[in-house]
Amino acid sequence: MNLPSLSHVIEVFFDTYDIFLKGMLLTLQVTAVSILIAIFIGLFFAFLKISGIKVLEWIANAYIYLVRGTPLIVQIFIFYFGMTNLNISAFWSVALGLAFHNGAYIAEIFRGTIQSIDKGQMEAGRSLGMSRVLTMRRIILPQAFRRALPPLGNQFIIGLKDSSLAAFIGMYELFNVATTKGANDFDNMTYLLIVAVYYLFLVYLISALVGLLEKKLSVSD
């Protein structure tokens, strides 16, 4: 397959920007929803892992092992075909599949950052009359979140790129736009190069936003 000329790629880029922008918006939507759900899933299983209760720790470990041991595309297909009787749309099948997958990795991120906080801070909070839950919410978690921000940013980027698997169940996001247009126009390489530019832009955008948030939190410290 010959590489298309730069002028041709630029011409097609501007001719098709409207349809790619729609695909990019859908990609951002499914990524944002899945990451938001994954954060809550991750926090929940992180608390199970640090609970000190063997049964709860086993449940969390089993979940994380299940996610790590199976391909993401299989997980998405299970959500998609397993929820057909519930009339769940492709969007929510992908969002829940990505959330289920990313939640395991976010759980490990939160577990590590929570356990990295000096145990003396929990004892100090308890000595001031705060409950364990209140100390965790007011003292431990804010610090853990600051430390978790860089790896969370990386996980957000991974989630964004993983959303391209939604094309396999027919969701018309960025990658599906590129492959469909490429097949219709018999010009696959041009559209793959174009969609790569869109993904690079989105990754840059997420990295910049995470960097700004890191700076804001460091100033507040």
Side-chain angles (χ1 to χ4, degrees):
M1 182 182 294
N2 295 326
L3 285 174
S5 66
L6 179 59
S7 60
H8 174 67
V9 173
I10 293 174
E11 180 184 355
V12 175
F13 179 90
F14 285 107
D15 287 343
T16 58
Y17 75 91
D18 53 341
I19 191 170
F20 271 103
L21 287 179
K22 291 179 182 178
M24 184 173 70
L25 179 61
L26 190 55
T27 293
L28 285 173
Q29 288 173 337
V30 74
T31 302
V33 170
S34 66
I35 289 298
L36 182 61
I37 298 173
I39 287 174
F40 287 102
I41 293 174
L43 269 174
F44 175 74
F45 282 100
F47 286 138
L48 292 189
K49 285 209 70 170
I50 64 175
S51 65
I53 302 173
K54 293 297 183 182
V55 174
L56 299 182
E57 291 178 10
W58 184 88
I59 293 172
N61 288 330
Y63 161 65
I64 292 170
Y65 177 78
L66 176 66
V67 169
R68 287 178 169 176
T70 55
L72 174 55
I73 188 64
V74 173
Q75 297 166 23
I76 291 175
F77 271 45
I78 288 174
F79 274 91
Y80 181 66
F81 291 109
M83 294 185 173
T84 51
N85 294 332
L86 301 177
N87 294 320
I88 301 294
S89 65
F91 178 92
W92 282 105
S93 297
V94 174
L96 292 174
L98 288 172
F100 177 80
H101 181 82
N102 287 305
Y105 295 94
I106 292 176
E108 288 288 54
I109 291 172
F110 280 132
R111 177 199 58 77
T113 55
I114 290 172
Q115 291 182 331
S116 71
I117 305 300
D118 194 315
K119 292 181 179 179
Q121 297 199 36
M122 174 62 76
E123 296 171 2
R126 297 300 299 277
S127 68
L128 293 174
M130 290 190 287
S131 66
R132 183 179 179 86
V133 173
L134 188 60
T135 303
M136 178 66 71
R137 181 167 64 86
R138 290 188 175 179
I139 298 176
I140 307 299
L141 282 183
Q143 297 178 76
F145 178 77
R146 290 187 183 95
R147 295 185 182 185
L149 198 53
L152 280 177
N154 291 333
Q155 196 61 43
F156 295 165
I157 291 172
I158 292 171
L160 169 72
K161 293 186 289 186
D162 285 345
S163 69
S164 61
L165 295 175
F168 292 96
I169 60 172
M171 202 175 87
Y172 209 52
E173 44 66 66
L174 266 178
F175 184 67
N176 201 352
V177 171
T179 53
T180 301
K181 290 291 292 179
N184 291 341
D185 296 349
F186 301 99
D187 196 4
N188 288 299
M189 184 57 72
T190 296
Y191 286 102
L192 289 174
L193 291 172
I194 290 172
V195 78
V197 172
Y198 280 97
Y199 277 116
L200 286 170
F201 169 74
L202 291 177
V203 168
Y204 173 79
L205 183 63
I206 292 175
S207 300
L209 290 174
V210 171
L212 287 174
L213 186 56
E214 283 187 66
K215 289 181 180 179
K216 185 176 181 180
L217 291 176
S218 65
V219 169
S220 67
D221 286 342

